[in-house]
């Protein structure tokens, strides 16, 4: 039996993936409104924020708001198999589709320029990109000019908001008191980590057959959530390995295909580096 | 759930200040004479050079050209910043054909080639452009660039000449007013006087449209009856 069923939940209340949950948006009301407006107005915007600051949650709300017309397409570039065939994605889609592109820093410049082309041709009405950092993204200057100042920067959640989120998810359940939630907030680096610790705590309570958590219970679950540890150094969102810094770019040796000389992302068929022009050796 | 925006409440289906080239293709503005000229030059077989900084309408003009000459696979669009090394014109011509052209690797003829981001072209590309144009593989070639000076070789400069060189830039205040009236009609929520004040902040067409959108949106959200000086100075950026 799942731990959360002991507390009367059908689903894990601390689920991390925003796409698989349907909670109210808390602490990001203004940002959410801005995203929805910019989509309606046919803009190209970028959401910038570290891991666990609510980027995907904002996209989820955009999906909820505009779904039903077959027009919203969500793509997580971090999960793509190196290449995005944007033409295929758009094929058979009606004019005026809305593209939500999570973790756009995983796309090459070439791909981004194709997207720009379809945006200019109005095959794509609006685009919302997200990234952990603008400097990781491979945008050409003409995309940057189209985005202009339409960048929404997300900061980490405050203690107050984090507690509000936890209370919203717990509803009437009270197995984690505020004092424990505050301690978890202090230990966690971001909301994802906070939720992971809460879930681990819930599980350990069931194991110990306790009804209410105390701060001491936190010690016993140390290590349970360590694999969810996101340090504030740059980490690959796909494989969670540390990234290498080459020039201005952070790159993952496992997941990215990039020029060792200048760090620019490359496509399979590239013979020369799109950034510095160095010739690639065959593998 | 429906998202009702200020422009919906003012009676527009979509953002009237969209800078997206495609959005207002039927009510075109400003480039009409220029476009007639450009289309004529394209039909007469020429190499054209269109240049201007960001947001001055290069993509808008390209889009119009594509719309005018599309169908029967006549137009080939190519973004030059995609390629490192030189462009393979041969492959472009083969790929532009129908299935059988591709199968037998037959090169198509008499195409119109649009080269976007032409500032990224190299010497070899330029000499290729000249020879492919002269052997009539391409009927017309249009170079589009954000820079005015793109190291065109002299022989190519001669072919382009003065007549086929089109520079784009900031618009005039009259054009600014016409542009806004084309978009929002006689709506007095935004008066000509205010349009001019927004225009003074930034005369680049794209920046100007973005400013109009921001000012109107915020003024409307503040329940203002009209856009006033305060809105302009607060919400339009340089």
């Amino acid at each position: 039996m799942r731990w959360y069923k002991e507390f009367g939940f059908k689903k894990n209340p601390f689920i991390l993936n925003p796409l698989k949950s349907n909670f109210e948006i808390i602490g990001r009301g203004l940002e959410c409104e801005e995203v929805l407006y910019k989509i309606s107005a046919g803009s190209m915007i970028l959401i910038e924020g570290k891991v666990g600051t609510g980027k995907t949650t904002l996209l989820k709300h955009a999906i909820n708001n505009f779904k039903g017309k077959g027009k919203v397409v969500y793509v997580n570039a971090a999960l793509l198999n190196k290449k995005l065939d944007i033409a295929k994605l758009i094929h058979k889609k009606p004019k005026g589709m809305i593209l939500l592109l999570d973790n756009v820093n995983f796309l090459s410049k070439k791909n981004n320029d194709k997207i720009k082309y379809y945006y200019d041709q109005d095959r794509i009405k609006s685009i919302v990109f997200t990234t952990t950092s603008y400097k990781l993204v491979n945008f050409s200057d003409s995309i940057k000019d189209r985005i202009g100042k339409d960048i929404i920067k997300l900061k980490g959640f405050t203690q107050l908001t984090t507690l509000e989120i936890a209370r919203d998810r717990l509803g009437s359940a009270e197995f984690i008191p505020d004092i424990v939630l505050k301690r978890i907030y202090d230990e966690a680096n971001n909301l994802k980590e906070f939720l992971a610790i809460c879930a681990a705590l819930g599980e350990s309570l069931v194991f110990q057959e306790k009804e209410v958590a105390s701060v001491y219970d936190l010690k016993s679950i140390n290590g349970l959530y360590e694999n969810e540890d996101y340090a504030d150094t740059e980490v690959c969102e796909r494989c969670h390995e540390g990234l290498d810094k080459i020039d201005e770019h952070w790159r993952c040796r496992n997941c990215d295909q990039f020029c060792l000389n200048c760090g620019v992302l490359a496509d399979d068929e590239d013979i020369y580096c799109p950034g510095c022009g160095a010739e690639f050796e065959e593998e | 759930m429906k998202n009702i925006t200020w422009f919906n409440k003012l009676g527009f289906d979509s953002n009237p200040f969209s800078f997206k080239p495609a959005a207002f293709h039927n009510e075109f503005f400003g480039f009409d004479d220029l476009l007639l000229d450009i289309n004529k030059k394209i039909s007469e077989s020429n190499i054209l050079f269109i240049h201007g900084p960001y947001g001055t309408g290069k993509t808008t003009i390209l889009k119009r050209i594509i719309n005018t000459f599309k169908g029967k696979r006549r137009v080939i669009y190519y973004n030059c910043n995609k390629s490192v090394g030189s462009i393979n014109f041969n492959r472009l011509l083969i790929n532009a054909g129908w299935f059988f052209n591709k199968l037998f690797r037959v090169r198509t003829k008499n195409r119109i080639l649009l080269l976007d981001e032409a500032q990224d072209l190299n010497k070899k590309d330029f000499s290729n452009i000249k020879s492919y144009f002269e052997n009539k593989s391409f009927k017309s070639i249009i170079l589009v660039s954000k820079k005015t000076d793109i190291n065109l070789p002299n022989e190519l400069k001669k072919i382009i000449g003065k007549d086929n060189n089109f520079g784009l830039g900031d618009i005039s205040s009259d054009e600014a007013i016409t542009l806004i009236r084309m978009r929002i009609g006689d709506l007095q929520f935004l008066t000509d006087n205010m349009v001019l004040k927004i225009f003074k902040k930034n005369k680049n067409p794209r920046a100007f449209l973005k400013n109009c959108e921001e000012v109107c949106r915020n003024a409307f959200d503040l329940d203002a009856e009209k856009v006033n000086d305060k809105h302009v100075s607060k919400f339009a950026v340089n």
Side-chain angles (χ1 to χ4, degrees):
Chain A
M1 186 152 170
R2 296 281 187 180
W3 68 267
Y4 43 85
K5 293 198 171 156
E6 295 280 342
F7 292 105
F9 290 98
K10 280 180 185 163
K11 283 181 181 170
N12 179 2
F14 299 118
I15 188 164
L16 296 178
N17 188 343
L19 297 170
K20 289 182 181 161
S21 55
N22 236 335
F23 296 102
E24 282 285 307
I25 194 143
I26 291 173
R28 294 277 184 250
L30 283 176
E31 289 87 348
C32 189
E33 213 175 283
E34 187 69 12
V35 170
L36 298 183
Y37 170 72
K38 290 291 176 186
I39 291 173
S40 309
S43 308
M44 187 189 260
I45 69 166
L46 179 80
I47 303 175
E48 185 186 15
K50 286 187 178 169
V51 175
T53 50
K55 300 184 294 296
T56 308
T57 306
L58 284 178
L59 295 188
K60 167 77 179 172
H61 280 265
I63 295 172
N64 285 349
N65 207 285
F66 294 98
K67 74 180 173 191
K69 293 164 199 158
K71 280 192 173 179
V72 191
V73 175
Y74 170 89
V75 178
N76 184 353
L79 301 176
L80 286 170
N81 218 344
K82 277 183 188 166
K83 267 167 91 181
L84 168 67
D85 193 345
I86 185 79
K88 214 173 182 178
L89 190 76
I90 284 167
H91 187 62
K92 285 185 181 169
K93 285 277 181 316
K95 250 190 165 187
M97 78 176 231
I98 298 162
L99 178 63
L100 309 175
L101 225 167
D102 220 351
N103 299 311
V104 65
N105 43 301
F106 284 100
L107 285 191
S108 65
K109 206 172 177 182
K110 212 170 179 175
N111 253 322
N112 288 330
D113 274 320
K114 276 185 201 157
I115 293 171
K116 186 209 115 188
Y117 174 76
Y118 286 109
Y119 174 76
D120 283 345
Q121 295 295 310
D122 221 19
R123 289 302 303 273
I124 304 175
K125 179 191 168 196
S126 326
I127 306 179
V128 185
F129 297 113
T130 84
T131 180
T132 46
S133 151
Y134 201 0
K135 64 173 197 277
L136 298 177
V137 183
N138 306 289
F139 282 156
S140 64
D141 289 343
S142 76
I143 296 185
K144 283 182 185 162
D145 195 68
R146 277 161 176 73
I147 293 175
K149 294 192 173 73
D150 287 338
I151 299 170
I152 296 172
K153 288 186 180 164
L154 300 180
K155 286 187 179 149
F157 289 99
T158 60
Q159 192 195 57
L160 200 71
T161 314
T162 307
L163 256 63
E164 210 183 315
I165 291 170
R167 284 280 156 248
D168 177 61
R169 292 199 174 207
L170 287 170
S172 57
E174 281 172 349
F175 60 90
I176 311 180
D178 275 359
I179 183 166
V180 182
L181 287 176
K182 281 178 188 165
R183 180 65 70 87
I184 299 173
Y185 176 82
D186 291 340
E187 283 191 19
N189 288 310
N190 57 55
L191 187 67
K192 276 191 186 172
E193 234 180 85
F194 175 87
L195 294 172
I197 299 174
C198 287
L201 183 61
E203 198 167 1
S204 99
L205 285 182
V206 172
F207 185 71
Q208 297 174 64
E209 295 182 4
K210 282 173 81 173
E211 277 177 16
V212 179
S214 73
V215 269
Y216 301 105
D217 293 321
L218 278 176
K219 282 184 187 147
S220 67
I221 57 160
N222 256 342
L224 270 178
Y225 56 90
E226 263 179 9
N227 53 353
E228 288 284 349
D229 190 15
Y230 301 88
D232 45 27
T233 52
E234 306 286 352
V235 173
C236 175
E237 295 193 5
R238 208 175 309 176
C239 67
H240 301 289
E241 288 289 320
L243 298 180
D244 296 328
K245 192 172 188 189
I246 300 163
D247 252 20
E248 281 293 284
H249 310 280
W250 291 94
R251 296 291 177 232
C252 174
R253 286 187 179 255
N254 296 336
C255 310
D256 293 335
Q257 191 168 328
F258 59 93
C259 172
L260 290 172
N261 188 28
C262 69
V264 164
L265 288 184
D267 281 322
D268 279 340
E269 68 258 35
D270 286 336
I271 309 166
Y272 300 98
C273 166
C276 65
E279 189 169 356
F280 291 141
E281 286 168 34
E282 296 253 346
E283 275 172 35
Chain B
M1 254 205 287
K2 228 188 174 182
N3 220 35
I4 297 179
T5 59
W6 66 271
F7 54 80
N8 295 139
K9 287 178 188 158
L10 282 172
F12 298 100
D13 278 347
S14 60
N15 176 11
F17 302 120
S18 168
F19 62 82
K20 214 196 277 188
F24 287 83
H25 53 277
N26 290 327
E27 305 131 52
F28 223 68
F29 146 78
F31 299 131
D32 283 355
D33 292 342
L34 185 67
L35 270 168
L36 276 178
D37 199 15
I38 287 175
N39 287 344
K40 198 175 148 225
K41 295 249 162 73
I42 293 173
S43 329
E44 287 167 355
S45 180
N46 277 298
I47 299 182
L48 283 71
F49 179 40
I50 302 172
H51 51 93
Y54 293 119
T56 50
K58 298 184 297 296
T59 308
T60 308
I61 287 179
L62 270 188
K63 214 192 128 63
R64 294 294 289 172
I65 297 173
I66 293 173
N67 266 333
T68 311
F69 293 95
K70 74 181 176 193
K72 296 187 185 171
R73 301 201 170 205
R74 275 196 289 173
V75 185
I76 302 171
Y77 172 91
Y78 190 83
N79 190 328
C80 303
N81 75 359
K82 289 197 292 197
S83 68
V84 165
S86 302
I87 303 176
N88 188 339
F89 286 91
N90 231 343
R91 205 169 69 183
L92 269 183
L93 283 166
I94 293 169
N95 285 342
W98 299 100
F99 176 71
F100 283 104
N101 296 60
K102 280 185 203 166
L103 190 64
F104 300 112
R105 300 195 164 251
V106 180
R107 285 190 283 157
T108 50
K109 280 206 148 193
N110 262 322
R111 303 284 151 171
I112 296 164
L113 178 64
L114 304 175
L115 292 172
D116 206 352
E117 310 272 355
Q119 69 276 354
D120 294 342
L121 292 172
N122 61 33
K123 266 187 188 171
K124 199 181 160 200
D125 292 324
F126 285 133
S127 74
N128 272 334
I129 287 174
K130 187 172 169 277
S131 51
Y132 276 87
F133 177 68
E134 281 170 350
N135 75 17
K136 300 211 163 123
S137 294
F138 295 109
K139 181 181 182 184
S140 286
I141 298 175
I142 298 105
L143 304 169
V144 181
S145 153
K146 62 186 172 201
K147 288 185 200 158
T148 307
D149 181 25
I150 58 166
N151 301 321
L152 284 169
N154 281 331
E155 5 169 60
L156 211 54
K157 266 187 197 163
K158 262 187 212 161
I159 298 177
I160 294 170
K162 264 188 186 171
D163 288 350
N164 297 338
N165 192 326
F166 301 92
L168 303 172
D170 291 348
I171 50 176
S172 71
S173 52
D174 283 349
E175 285 172 321
I177 291 178
T178 319
L179 172 62
I180 297 309
R181 290 296 156 225
M182 300 287 292
R183 299 292 185 95
I184 62 171
D186 207 21
L187 190 77
Q188 288 302 309
F189 182 70
L190 183 65
T191 59
D192 286 358
N193 196 8
M194 289 300 134
V195 172
L196 286 178
K197 284 189 174 153
I198 298 171
F199 179 65
K200 265 186 197 156
K201 290 265 190 172
N202 193 332
K203 295 180 177 172
N204 174 285
R206 184 186 291 160
F208 169 61
L209 283 170
K210 274 201 172 194
N211 272 338
C212 286
E213 183 194 336
E214 271 310 294
V215 170
C216 285
R217 178 191 174 197
N218 282 291
F220 193 86
D221 286 349
L222 291 170
D223 288 328
E225 258 179 50
K226 280 182 176 189
V227 169
N228 62 33
D229 283 321
K230 271 185 195 165
H231 301 135
V232 175
S233 58
K234 197 169 171 195
F235 301 113
V237 290
N238 291 323

